[in-house]
Amino acid sequence: MSEGPIKTKRDGHVLEVTLDRPKANAIDLATSRIMGDTFAAFRDDPELRVCIVTGAGPKFFCPGWDLKAAAGGDAVDGDYGVGGFGGLQELRGLNKPVIAAVNGICCGGGLELALSADIILAADHATFALPEIRSGTVADAATVKLPKRIPYHIAMEMLFTGRWIEVEEAARWGLVNHVYPGASLMEEARALAKHLASGPPLVFSAIKEIVREAEDMTFQDAMNRITKRQFETVDRLYSSEDNREGYTAFAEGRDPVWKGR
């Protein structure tokens, strides 16, 4: 377990990343840079397959930007480090599953951090908001991402008004995948991470690259790139031991053994 504002824990192929910066787990420039280095190391470690990101304590996941640090001199356009604010939302080539375990208040840049994950699990007391409008600024990453994740009109209402929504409403709009009692949130997140870690890492990698790159393509252009093996991850998958193992295991009536190569 590492020390400082970002604590990490490895369990087999799973990495847990905990934002632990009392009192509210807000992110300043220095913390963002540590987060970027942490997620980049996860991306580049061939032994790690799945990441869980959460906040310390039962009250706050993350409220986003540390306004006290900003008042003390942290520039809003300062050096956030690799991956941009919070280390995830602009991190290139992250082709592994990331689970956000939202354990409490999740707002502003904290919601943007959660939106950068692939799956969002939430405690039954979690709440969500984009209050930047009240500070006369824009929730930049959320303005790009949120209208693509939930109904447009709901996203625009959140962005225009900064209103808070309870976890039940977040689940209704599809902002979160599952809601659990706070006491069991991490248990559920670890169970899901373990399940994903037992799956085919090269397939997950291809899925993430296709989803990310296809966002700016027509359907046919994306399909052509897949079938012609023009995505690096797809080409690697179709040339891999794992790809052959999948067919062989099916033919032999056994569970496949994924090696990630």
Side-chain angles (χ1 to χ4, degrees):
M1 178 75 77
S2 60
E3 299 301 326
I6 302 301
K7 295 183 169 56
T8 60
K9 176 184 176 183
R10 297 176 70 119
D11 182 10
H13 295 301
V14 177
L15 178 70
E16 290 184 23
V17 177
T18 302
L19 177 57
D20 186 4
R21 196 164 176 267
K23 297 180 180 178
N25 295 332
I27 299 173
D28 63 357
L29 287 177
T31 301
S32 182
R33 290 192 290 268
I34 295 170
M35 295 175 76
D37 291 341
T38 300
F39 292 124
F42 162 70
R43 176 196 62 192
D44 298 338
D45 189 330
E47 293 301 312
L48 291 172
R49 297 183 180 181
V50 183
C51 179
I52 302 170
V53 58
T54 191
K59 186 174 181 181
F60 291 97
F61 173 71
C62 176
W65 178 239
D66 186 340
L67 295 180
K68 291 184 178 179
D74 267 12
V76 68
D77 58 351
D79 179 13
Y80 292 111
V82 60
F85 180 80
L88 267 184
Q89 60 190 23
E90 297 177 63
L91 185 61
R92 295 180 180 274
L94 179 53
N95 293 327
K96 300 176 181 180
V98 177
I99 301 167
V102 178
N103 55 301
I105 291 171
C106 178
C107 63
L111 180 50
E112 292 175 334
L113 176 63
L115 287 171
S116 299
D118 302 297
I119 295 173
I120 303 177
L121 310 181
D124 56 8
H125 61 276
T127 54
F128 304 83
L130 293 166
E132 283 85 348
I133 189 73
R134 299 172 186 173
S135 301
T137 189
V138 63
D140 46 13
T143 302
V144 175
K145 291 182 177 181
L146 194 63
K148 299 177 181 178
R149 306 292 180 81
I150 65 174
Y152 172 87
H153 301 93
I154 305 302
M156 297 305 287
E157 181 187 7
M158 290 182 67
L159 288 162
F160 283 155
T161 68
R163 77 174 180 92
W164 288 85
I165 64 173
E166 302 294 325
V167 72
E168 293 82 4
E169 183 177 358
R172 185 164 74 248
W173 300 127
L175 180 59
V176 303
N177 295 75
H178 303 286
V179 180
Y180 299 108
S184 63
L185 175 64
M186 287 307 296
E187 178 184 352
E188 297 289 349
R190 288 168 182 144
L192 176 58
K194 184 177 180 180
H195 172 73
L196 293 177
S198 69
L202 297 184
V203 178
F204 292 151
S205 182
I207 289 170
K208 286 204 65 171
E209 184 180 26
I210 291 168
V211 169
R212 183 175 62 247
E213 297 299 322
E215 188 172 15
D216 297 322
M217 298 179 186
T218 66
F219 172 79
Q220 195 58 58
D221 285 344
M223 287 299 297
N224 289 340
R225 288 196 62 184
I226 294 170
T227 57
K228 295 177 181 178
R229 296 170 59 157
Q230 292 175 344
F231 289 113
E232 180 182 351
T233 55
V234 173
D235 185 55
R236 183 184 177 200
L237 170 65
Y238 288 164
S239 303
S240 68
E241 292 180 31
D242 276 4
N243 189 240
R244 293 190 296 275
E245 168 67 4
Y247 300 136
T248 303
F250 178 81
E252 295 177 353
R254 59 174 175 81
D255 292 333
V257 178
W258 307 118
K259 298 179 180 178
R261 60 176 189 266

